[in-house]
Amino acid sequence: MTLEKNSIIIKDLSCFDIRHILQCGQIFRFHENDDGSYTVYSLDKRAIVKQDEDRAIITTDDPDYFVKFFDLDRDYTKIKENLRDKPFMSEAIEYGSGIRILNQDKWEMLISFIISANNHIPRIKGIINRLCERLGENMGDYYAFPTPEKMAQMDESFYSSIGAGYRAPYLASTARAVVDGFDLLDIENVDGNEGNKRLCKLLGVGPKVADCILLFAYHKQDVFPVDTWIKKVYKDVIGDNCSNNNAMRKKLIDTYGEYSGYAQQYLFFNKREN
């Protein structure tokens, strides 16, 4: 990795593939451009990622932010080596070799994954885009993600008007809770189980959504978001007919250990795509 004034250049692509990173379910604010590059947004920041067979170039006004965002200081070769002998991991790692778990903003992930519940990606992206356009700061040719204070000013009817559906009261309530003192930062100091319990106190956050937030905003590894695809993975890996999501989560964490969060992303991407 080389840092220049307005760019990050990645020459070793063995652990970086922008398509893998953006298509494995962890981020919704991005789009593909006509030239094959991708524009990625986080809070009030933007990066353009262009990749060919030899290198990836991330162009941005804030390279330091996106080095952390794309988790570029972490050794994913070591992570893969530690996971490769675990059940079903060799194939999953080979297929999703370029996955990196992003370090995303806690507030943005909280709201994004409330919106994601029982939803599909085009609709999730549309709701989030409208949310940013209506409440986010105008950055010139794009909009920032709105602040908790701005969102807390709006009632349920506003969130209904942007297409949030039954999630509208969840968004209004959660924004007020954060403004009134719910401490997102303090969750950094607890383990995944405790973090999950705390996040589930917020209206609209269930155990799966909480695990997604803990993985993609806090980079916690003692979590394993269980969705439709991971239920299929569970049947492959464990082999029983368990129907309890919490029990599945625990068994999968026990199986994949300290790298469970990474394992979840490789397994999810491979199962969904294949």
Side-chain angles (χ1 to χ4, degrees):
M1 177 183 68
T2 304
L3 276 176
E4 296 184 358
K5 183 179 180 182
N6 290 313
S7 63
I8 306 160
I9 300 170
I10 303 165
K11 294 181 179 178
D12 180 0
L13 298 179
S14 62
C15 297
F16 185 98
D17 187 312
I18 190 59
R19 187 185 75 86
H20 294 176
I21 293 165
L22 299 180
Q23 298 294 341
C24 64
Q26 61 178 321
I27 184 172
F28 305 109
R29 290 181 68 212
F30 70 90
H31 61 81
E32 186 174 2
N33 303 311
D34 292 341
D35 64 355
S37 66
Y38 290 85
T39 302
V40 180
Y41 304 92
S42 177
L43 291 179
D44 59 350
K45 304 180 190 304
R46 174 177 65 180
I48 298 172
V49 186
K50 189 168 182 61
Q51 181 174 327
D52 57 29
E53 293 180 358
D54 300 316
R55 63 181 183 172
I57 300 175
I58 303 169
T59 305
T60 172
D61 291 338
D62 197 340
D64 289 339
Y65 181 88
F66 282 99
V67 165
K68 181 178 180 183
F69 181 84
F70 284 107
D71 207 34
L72 296 178
D73 287 330
R74 198 179 307 270
D75 184 355
Y76 276 71
T77 299
K78 179 182 176 183
I79 292 166
K80 293 177 189 178
E81 288 172 354
N82 279 280
L83 281 171
R84 200 173 294 276
D85 292 336
K86 300 283 188 180
F88 291 89
M89 284 308 308
S90 181
E91 176 190 332
I93 287 171
E94 186 69 24
Y95 186 78
S97 61
I99 288 173
R100 305 184 80 88
I101 294 181
L102 302 173
N103 291 302
Q104 300 185 76
D105 177 73
K106 297 167 178 58
W107 164 248
E108 185 168 344
M109 287 299 91
L110 171 60
I111 294 301
S112 296
F113 277 93
I114 288 175
I115 291 169
S116 79
N118 300 311
N119 214 342
H120 57 83
I121 288 178
R123 189 162 183 265
I124 297 165
K125 293 177 75 169
I127 296 167
I128 293 173
N129 285 341
R130 289 188 291 275
L131 178 66
C132 294
E133 288 169 1
R134 296 282 295 276
L135 297 183
E137 181 182 356
N138 187 339
M139 305 304 295
D141 54 354
Y142 68 97
Y143 291 88
F145 197 84
T147 64
E149 291 75 16
K150 191 70 175 178
M151 285 189 63
Q153 294 173 10
M154 302 298 165
D155 60 16
E156 178 180 337
S157 64
F158 168 80
Y159 295 109
S160 294
S161 77
I162 62 170
Y166 74 86
R167 306 162 196 83
Y170 303 164
L171 297 175
S173 172
T174 295
R176 288 193 297 270
V178 170
V179 168
D180 289 344
F182 184 92
D183 192 347
L184 290 172
L185 288 177
D186 192 49
I187 293 172
E188 289 181 347
N189 304 316
V190 301
D191 65 16
N193 287 333
E194 178 61 24
N196 194 292
K197 289 177 185 176
R198 292 189 189 185
L199 286 169
C200 284
K201 293 177 182 177
L202 295 167
L203 194 62
V205 178
K208 182 259 185 177
V209 164
D211 264 5
C212 288
I213 297 163
L214 292 167
L215 182 55
F216 305 135
Y218 295 87
H219 222 96
K220 291 192 181 293
Q221 291 304 305
D222 55 342
V223 299
F224 216 106
V226 175
D227 69 348
T228 300
W229 298 105
I230 293 300
K231 288 177 183 178
K232 294 178 180 180
V233 167
Y234 177 87
K235 192 168 184 180
D236 293 340
V237 172
I238 307 297
D240 66 33
N241 292 315
C242 179
S243 60
N244 181 286
N245 286 7
N246 286 335
M248 283 189 270
R249 174 187 188 269
K250 184 179 186 306
K251 285 188 180 180
L252 288 165
I253 292 170
D254 288 344
T255 299
Y256 292 103
E258 64 180 311
Y259 294 101
S260 288
Y262 299 108
Q264 194 271 357
Q265 281 290 273
Y266 290 122
L267 291 164
F268 169 86
F269 185 64
N270 184 55
K271 178 60 76 173
R272 190 186 66 180
E273 297 289 304
N274 292 309

